[in-house]
Amino acid sequence: MKKKNIIIWAIVVVVIAIVGYFSFGGGQKKSTNKTVTIGIMAGVKQDDAIWKEVSKTAKSKYNITLKFKKFTDYTQPNKALSNGDVDLNAFQHYAFLNAWNKANKTSIVAIGKTVITPIRLYSDKVKKVKDIPDGATISVPNDATNESRALFLLKNAGLITLKKNTSLATVKSIAKNPKHLQIKELDASQTARSLSDVTAAVINTNYAQAAKINYKSAIYVEPVNKDSEQWINIIAANKKDKNKQEYKDVVKAYETAKTKQTIKKQYGTAEIAAWDIKLK
């Protein structure tokens, strides 16, 4: 009887050990797969190709599955992020985010960098910036962030100077205008169409592409320097989530040499990988 009890207890101990082993993951591979949903803008095949490459890296290296929610309106991705409809978004630069947070009282933060898309000055009338005549008309986008960007471009091109400590420039921020340029403010989508009516136009790359304007034909390209830092595009998260490891891993999956190669393949020099650029 004593021997029988010993056998029964031995069986019980083994069963408990087996149950505990499997319960705590010792007998099976623990699943660490995560799914992260990112809000992006729709309709850009080049960006889709870049994110496809990033998705491969995220899955193979960090066991993260990336899903995408596409938007057609620039006001939507930050709303979706604040509402929890997406985990991250990647569509905006620092200047847009700062303006959004201020206007909407949100706490969205940048957790990684993606690309910078330099804006360019185009002309059908002159071949070089120095040939822009006195009194020439230059069209610029009229929304706050892009107008500021355009005016900083004109400043860097040596056409105007801006008042000291200007961050968000308007035409009122112009300190010196030696060529007496006339600044024509237009909706950003109309600047490309204005080329035939003005001496030169500052045009965002996406609108230049839509108008079949070769970005290589620009007479001046926005330099990558301290002035342009605010135009670097970012991966953004809600502030409370900025330290989540899976989100940090998504950033790592993006900021790779392979992603940089894909950006160059898709965009040439129209877009530049921004996470390791040196700002002069």
Side-chain angles (χ1 to χ4, degrees):
M1 189 72 174
K2 185 177 180 181
K3 184 176 181 181
K4 185 177 180 180
N5 287 338
I6 291 174
I7 294 172
I8 291 172
W9 276 109
I11 293 172
V12 169
V13 169
V14 171
V15 170
I16 291 173
I18 292 172
V19 170
Y21 182 70
F22 281 98
S23 296
F24 289 97
Q28 58 186 4
K29 186 177 180 180
K30 185 179 179 181
S31 175
T32 58
N33 182 61
K34 306 280 187 180
T35 298
V36 176
T37 302
I38 305 175
I40 60 175
M41 299 307 294
V44 185
K45 293 181 180 179
Q46 294 96 325
D47 287 349
D48 289 343
I50 293 166
W51 281 112
K52 183 177 180 181
E53 190 60 48
V54 175
S55 295
K56 289 180 183 178
T57 303
K59 185 65 176 176
S60 63
K61 193 166 184 180
Y62 302 104
N63 204 18
I64 294 174
T65 299
L66 296 185
K67 291 187 176 180
F68 300 94
K69 187 167 184 177
K70 296 185 177 182
F71 300 95
T72 56
D73 184 332
Y74 283 99
T75 66
Q76 295 174 331
N78 280 334
K79 288 180 181 178
L81 182 57
S82 295
N83 294 337
D85 294 332
V86 297
D87 301 308
L88 304 171
N89 67 38
F91 78 103
Q92 65 194 323
H93 46 53
Y94 284 108
F96 186 98
L97 175 60
N98 291 339
W100 178 271
N101 278 335
K102 185 176 181 179
N104 295 278
K105 295 180 172 51
T106 48
S107 299
I108 298 172
V109 297
I111 63 169
K113 299 176 182 178
T114 56
V115 299
I116 184 168
T117 308
I119 56 170
R120 291 166 165 80
L121 182 65
Y122 298 89
S123 177
D124 289 340
K125 313 291 191 304
V126 299
K127 299 295 183 183
K128 296 180 180 179
V129 170
K130 67 178 184 179
D131 297 330
I132 293 176
D134 190 274
T137 298
I138 297 180
S139 59
V140 301
N142 65 1
D143 61 284
T145 56
N146 280 312
E147 180 171 6
S148 178
R149 191 175 186 181
L151 292 173
F152 271 102
L153 178 144
L154 297 179
K155 175 208 132 182
N156 282 300
L159 292 169
I160 61 173
T161 63
L162 298 173
K163 294 176 182 177
K164 190 176 181 180
N165 299 322
T166 295
S167 55
L168 191 65
T170 68
V171 290
K172 293 181 179 179
S173 306
I174 297 174
K176 294 182 181 179
N177 183 2
K179 287 196 172 187
H180 309 99
L181 301 175
Q182 303 299 310
I183 306 300
K184 187 175 184 178
E185 298 163 291
L186 299 172
D187 185 275
S189 63
Q190 300 302 311
T191 52
R193 295 183 183 181
S194 74
L195 264 181
S196 60
D197 301 320
V198 299
T199 303
V202 181
I203 308 174
N204 295 77
T205 299
N206 59 322
Y207 291 121
Q209 290 175 331
K212 308 297 183 185
I213 299 172
N214 187 339
Y215 70 89
K216 294 180 181 179
S217 69
I219 63 172
Y220 188 78
V221 181
E222 178 183 48
V224 179
N225 59 18
K226 288 292 184 181
D227 284 341
S228 57
E229 183 175 12
Q230 61 185 318
W231 315 120
I232 290 175
N233 286 288
I234 55 175
I235 297 173
N238 288 310
K239 187 175 182 179
K240 64 183 178 63
D241 297 326
K242 68 177 184 177
N243 292 317
K244 281 193 174 183
Q245 187 59 51
E246 58 264 41
Y247 296 172
K248 290 182 178 181
D249 290 339
V250 171
V251 172
K252 290 177 184 176
Y254 194 103
E255 296 178 352
T256 66
K258 186 64 177 176
T259 304
K260 187 181 290 188
Q261 291 171 5
T262 306
I263 292 168
K264 188 172 183 179
K265 179 180 178 181
Q266 294 298 322
Y267 281 106
T269 57
E271 284 195 357
I272 303 167
W275 55 88
D276 59 357
I277 57 176
K278 305 298 181 184
L279 299 173
K280 299 176 182 179

